[in-house]
């Protein structure tokens, strides 16, 4: 869907009514305190969603994302960058999607945006995982950044596991074939 500024709840962004202090967001994602800080920069607030998912080895989750911001990535003297960033989480592993430094394109609704990008993550082990997507404000809470997610898919890798009836049928065929060879050999003698 397209961003509609008249419906701010259709977006995950900082400063909407769903924003949370970063300690609440880290707790929501089951992360350790400080996990969403960026280097020496403090995460103030953010927004995110999460779910639990069961996958097989080789399953891949993909989505298209676009990062929007009204912040400026600057670092002048004692003033540190307001480098808001977006992330994807698998259990307690925070994977940075992008930050303000990559928002170089003029935007219709924000000052800048990254443009649409594809993200994919392939699971290497079968199991249940907590996954999430979010965005945080770095070093302030006055500027707004947003993350649009669309076209999310899960590509399931199916391993070819023989059906029990196929296994039984193969064993019967193999067994009968061996019996017929013995009978045929006995008839020739």
């Amino acid at each position: 869907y397209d961003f509609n500024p008249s419906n701010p709840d259709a977006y995950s962004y900082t400063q909407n009514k769903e924003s949370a202090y970063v300690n609440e967001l880290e707790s929501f994602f089951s992360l350790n305190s400080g996990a969403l800080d960026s280097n020496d920069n403090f995460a103030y607030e953010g927004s995110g969603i999460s779910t639990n998912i069961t996958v097989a080895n080789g399953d891949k989750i993909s989505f298209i994302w676009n990062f929007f911001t009204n912040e400026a990535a600057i670092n002048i003297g004692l003033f540190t960058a307001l480098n808001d960033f977006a992330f994807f989480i698998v259990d307690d592993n925070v994977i940075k999607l992008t930050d303000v430094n990559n928002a170089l394109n003029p935007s219709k609704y924000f000052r800048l945006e990254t443009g649409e990008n594809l993200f994919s993550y392939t699971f290497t082990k079968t199991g249940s995982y907590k996954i999430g997507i979010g965005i945080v404000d770095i070093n302030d809470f006055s500027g707004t950044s947003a993350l649009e997610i669309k076209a999310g898919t899960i590509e399931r890798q199916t391993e070819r596991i023989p059906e029990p009836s196929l296994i039984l049928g193969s064993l019967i065929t193999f067994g009968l074939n061996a019996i017929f060879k013995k009978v045929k050999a006995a008839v020739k003698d």
Side-chain angles (χ1 to χ4, degrees):
Y1 60 86
D2 291 329
F3 175 62
N4 179 352
S6 66
N7 183 8
D9 294 333
Y11 240 60
S12 177
Y13 67 99
T14 59
Q15 285 197 332
N16 70 359
K17 69 180 182 182
E18 300 302 323
S19 289
Y21 289 112
V22 77
N23 63 330
E24 296 169 320
L25 193 61
E26 288 169 335
S27 178
F28 172 73
F29 285 122
S30 303
L31 297 172
N32 291 330
S33 178
L36 294 176
D37 291 343
S38 178
N39 299 321
D40 291 331
N41 298 302
F42 181 73
Y44 275 83
E45 66 177 353
S47 180
I49 57 172
S50 77
T51 190
N52 293 314
I53 184 172
T54 301
V55 296
N57 177 25
D59 285 358
K60 180 169 67 171
I61 187 167
S62 300
F63 54 85
I64 295 172
W65 59 267
N66 193 358
F67 178 82
F68 301 84
T69 190
N70 288 326
E71 297 280 23
I74 54 176
N75 196 355
I76 304 170
L78 297 176
F79 185 75
T80 57
L82 304 175
N83 200 10
D84 300 355
F85 70 91
F87 56 88
F88 176 74
I89 292 179
V90 178
D91 285 339
D92 60 354
N93 184 21
V94 179
I95 301 166
K96 189 175 181 179
L97 295 174
T98 194
D99 60 34
V100 170
N101 290 307
N102 297 313
L104 303 174
N105 304 311
S107 175
K108 183 176 178 180
Y109 301 108
F110 287 79
R111 195 169 77 78
L112 296 168
E113 67 180 77
T114 57
E116 291 185 345
N117 293 274
L118 176 65
F119 175 81
S120 295
Y121 181 88
T122 302
F123 294 89
T124 57
K125 293 182 182 175
T126 298
S128 293
Y129 295 87
K130 182 172 189 168
I131 62 170
I133 301 167
I135 188 166
V136 290
D137 262 339
I138 298 295
N139 291 336
D140 78 329
F141 53 86
S142 60
T144 302
S145 292
L147 179 64
E148 175 188 27
I149 301 293
K150 62 182 180 181
T153 61
I154 298 176
E155 183 181 319
R156 301 283 185 181
Q157 299 297 317
T158 54
E159 296 179 28
R160 296 202 179 268
I161 300 172
E163 294 288 327
S165 60
L166 179 61
I167 294 171
L168 181 60
S170 296
L171 289 174
I172 292 172
T173 302
F174 177 74
L176 290 175
N177 192 24
I179 292 170
F180 285 130
K181 282 185 179 181
K182 283 186 177 183
V183 170
K184 190 174 182 183
V187 171
K188 282 187 178 178
D189 292 341

